[in-house]
Amino acid sequence: MKKPFLKLPPTNNKNIFKIFVWTLFDFANTSYSIIVVTFIFAVYFKKTITSNMPIGDFYWSIGTSLSMVVTAIISPILGAIADHSAGKKRFLLFFTLICILSTSLLYFVGEGDIFWALFLFILANIGFEAGLVFYDAFLPELTEPKNYGRVSGYGFAMGYIGSLATLAIVYPFIKLEMIKETFPIAALFFFVFAIPLFIFLKDNRKNVETQRRYLAIGFKRVYDTISNLKYYKNLALFLLAFFFYIEGVNTVIFFSGNFASTTLNFSMGELIIFFLIVQTTAIFGSITFGVLADAIGQKKSIIISLFIWVFTIVFAYFISDKSTSLMQKLSSFTGDDVERVQVIAFYVVGLLAGSVLGATQSVSRSLMSKLTPNEKKTEFFGFYSFFGKSSAIVGPLVFGLVSYYTASQRIAILTIGIFFILGLFILSFVRDDQPINY
């Protein structure tokens, strides 16, 4: 008998509560990502702090790249340390507080404060991204492997609900042009809804005599993992595939708003509608693909999402030029002018991208949990984070270089499709039906 599509994981009430508390952290931390990384502070940095100078984009890319480089380097070390000490929760608390404090202090930066704005942003982003290493590693402790997909999906869905809630809270401040006030509001939102995880989730700690040598232990365990990588060939293959296709996802996140405002000339109102469409469809996509992953397997679900991504990129390429035959036919069919049709068509792009934005990341996280040895969960999630953060540097850089040399974001968009195709090809060789230890 087939299980119902939306049936909750078979577990007791205590585990359901633990899963809910875990997903609340996703609900909490997206207040930072939507306000600081994706939308408001990114625009505030360019328009106000750097006085809308062209070099502002360069400074912003430096801040993003530096934070990602640092996180990529330290994530495997931190993961190994947490595995040895079984102290995921205290490390997560440390990095969460760094992110919250730095985000709140952004209120005090204004025009010309480039150094302090970048310094606080880099600290906040390191805190956010490094904390995810320990947050993700809780997943295998919450449910059985057969339920990884949907539980991971619940987390991402709660995250997108959190981003919508945050936008609703700060919208009145945006209308009143009280932009700086949104930063401490995001920090407070993060703080309040992150508290339940640290109160109710247990993290069994080992009695380690060599606590003062955590750093040495971390480096040693990472070295041992790399040395023995030949014993984890399937996992290494998945990480390589993940590196390529998550580059595509990260680049979309980094450039979607910029593309809409620069190439398509979207107004602020149209951008807000676009982001609302992406966030809303991402909620349903995360849950749907999570359940689908448990039903047909994580690998097949990721493959489906990547095909949707490729179609979305190709569609975005054709609708970004008003003179294409597709745009002319759509304009003739709807009876609207080409400019209006282009706006609606990009909303469709947002709908498609949103449906797989959280889904691709969520199902990848659950497949990672399935393929990773139990005794090295956090350490391998450190490498998982390393590949994800590294791609956040390479993908946007390739997009930016192609856009610069061709003077066309439309051509640069095709590079994103290449990343998805490469990831799809490598993923086809990954086996997701074999035992964890191999």
Side-chain angles (χ1 to χ4, degrees):
M1 180 178 178
K2 295 182 178 180
K3 53 185 177 183
F5 183 68
L6 291 175
K7 184 178 179 182
L8 289 170
T11 184
N12 57 45
N13 291 335
K14 183 178 179 181
N15 284 343
I16 290 176
F17 177 71
K18 287 168 60 179
I19 291 170
F20 173 73
V21 168
W22 181 73
T23 62
L24 265 183
F25 191 86
D26 249 325
F27 180 84
N29 68 10
T30 47
S31 62
Y32 163 78
S33 60
I34 190 68
I35 295 299
V36 177
V37 178
T38 307
F39 194 18
I40 299 179
F41 181 71
V43 175
Y44 178 77
F45 180 85
K46 175 67 182 296
K47 289 187 175 181
T48 301
I49 296 176
T50 64
S51 303
N52 212 26
M53 294 186 297
I55 200 171
D57 289 334
F58 174 68
Y59 286 141
W60 182 248
S61 66
I62 288 178
T64 304
S65 298
L66 279 177
S67 63
M68 289 300 188
V69 167
V70 172
T71 307
I73 293 172
I74 67 175
S75 290
I77 307 297
L78 293 172
I81 293 172
D83 270 338
H84 187 80
S85 64
K88 293 188 295 296
K89 193 161 70 171
R90 55 179 170 167
F91 283 104
L92 178 58
L93 176 61
F94 174 74
F95 285 107
T96 296
L97 291 177
I98 287 178
C99 181
I100 290 172
L101 181 60
S102 300
T103 300
S104 63
L105 290 176
L106 289 174
Y107 172 83
F108 297 101
V109 297
E111 185 176 355
D113 296 329
I114 296 174
F115 172 80
W116 289 113
L118 285 178
F119 178 76
L120 290 172
F121 168 69
I122 290 170
L123 272 183
N125 215 36
I126 290 173
F128 174 79
E129 297 289 353
L132 290 179
V133 176
F134 306 101
Y135 172 71
D136 290 344
F138 271 105
L139 177 59
E141 301 176 12
L142 300 173
T143 188
E144 300 174 356
K146 64 180 180 180
N147 298 319
Y148 284 167
R150 67 184 67 190
V151 173
S152 181
Y154 296 155
F156 271 89
M158 281 288 280
Y160 291 115
I161 293 173
S163 66
L164 290 176
T166 305
L167 286 175
I169 292 172
V170 303
Y171 182 69
F173 293 89
I174 296 175
K175 288 191 68 176
L176 294 172
E177 297 186 358
M178 299 172 64
I179 304 302
K180 293 201 300 181
E181 283 74 10
T182 64
F183 309 142
I185 290 173
L188 180 62
F189 188 98
F190 192 172
F191 176 75
V192 170
F193 289 101
I195 289 175
L197 182 146
F198 298 105
I199 294 176
F200 296 109
L201 276 194
K202 302 299 181 183
D203 185 19
N204 296 325
R205 294 174 59 183
K206 301 173 185 176
N207 293 321
V208 183
E209 297 180 358
T210 54
Q211 290 185 2
R212 296 181 180 178
R213 297 193 297 114
Y214 277 163
L215 190 60
I217 292 169
F219 277 107
K220 183 180 185 303
R221 289 200 63 182
V222 171
Y223 174 79
D224 291 341
T225 300
I226 295 175
S227 300
N228 296 313
L229 202 57
K230 59 179 176 290
Y231 300 119
Y232 305 99
K233 291 180 180 178
N234 192 49
L235 180 59
L237 198 60
F238 166 68
L239 287 173
L240 182 61
F242 174 74
F243 174 82
F244 281 108
Y245 69 71
I246 210 65
E247 281 197 45
V249 175
N250 284 325
T251 308
V252 168
I253 293 172
F254 195 82
F255 278 104
S256 57
N258 183 282
F259 177 83
S261 61
T262 302
T263 300
L264 305 182
N265 298 313
F266 266 38
S267 66
M268 180 60 71
E270 289 168 337
L271 276 175
I272 291 175
I273 294 174
F274 173 76
F275 279 118
L276 288 175
I277 290 173
V278 172
Q279 301 297 316
T280 304
T281 54
I283 296 170
F284 297 102
S286 297
I287 296 175
T288 301
F289 270 84
V291 177
L292 184 67
D294 290 338
I296 68 173
Q298 287 97 337
K299 176 183 172 180
K300 290 180 181 177
S301 299
I302 296 173
I303 288 174
I304 292 172
S305 76
L306 294 182
F307 273 114
I308 295 175
W309 271 120
V310 172
F311 174 80
T312 303
I313 294 302
V314 172
F315 184 62
Y317 170 79
F318 281 106
I319 64 101
S320 60
D321 187 347
K322 298 185 183 74
S323 65
T324 61
S325 59
L326 173 63
M327 292 302 297
Q328 296 301 321
K329 289 179 181 178
L330 287 174
S331 177
S332 176
F333 177 77
T334 60
D336 287 331
D337 57 79
V338 178
E339 287 76 14
R340 179 60 182 165
V341 171
Q342 188 178 51
V343 170
I344 295 174
F346 200 66
Y347 287 161
V348 174
V349 169
L351 187 150
L352 290 170
S355 69
V356 287
L357 179 63
T360 306
Q361 299 174 78
S362 169
V363 180
S364 296
R365 179 168 64 183
S366 65
L367 180 55
M368 181 68 186
S369 293
K370 180 179 180 180
L371 297 179
T372 306
N374 286 323
E375 71 278 4
K376 288 180 174 287
K377 286 293 183 187
T378 318
E379 181 177 341
F380 272 113
F381 265 107
F383 281 101
Y384 177 77
S385 177
F386 174 84
F387 279 87
K389 302 336 172 198
S390 299
S391 67
I393 302 168
V394 179
L397 178 61
V398 171
F399 182 99
L401 287 173
V402 173
S403 176
Y404 173 74
Y405 283 114
T406 63
S408 171
Q409 287 186 331
R410 183 170 182 257
I411 295 176
I413 242 184
L414 295 177
T415 64
I416 303 176
I418 294 173
F419 288 130
F420 285 126
I421 292 171
L422 283 173
L424 187 60
F425 173 75
I426 298 172
L427 184 64
S428 66
F429 296 100
V430 175
R431 290 171 291 160
D432 62 348
D433 58 350
Q434 65 183 71
I436 288 177
N437 295 309
Y438 46 93

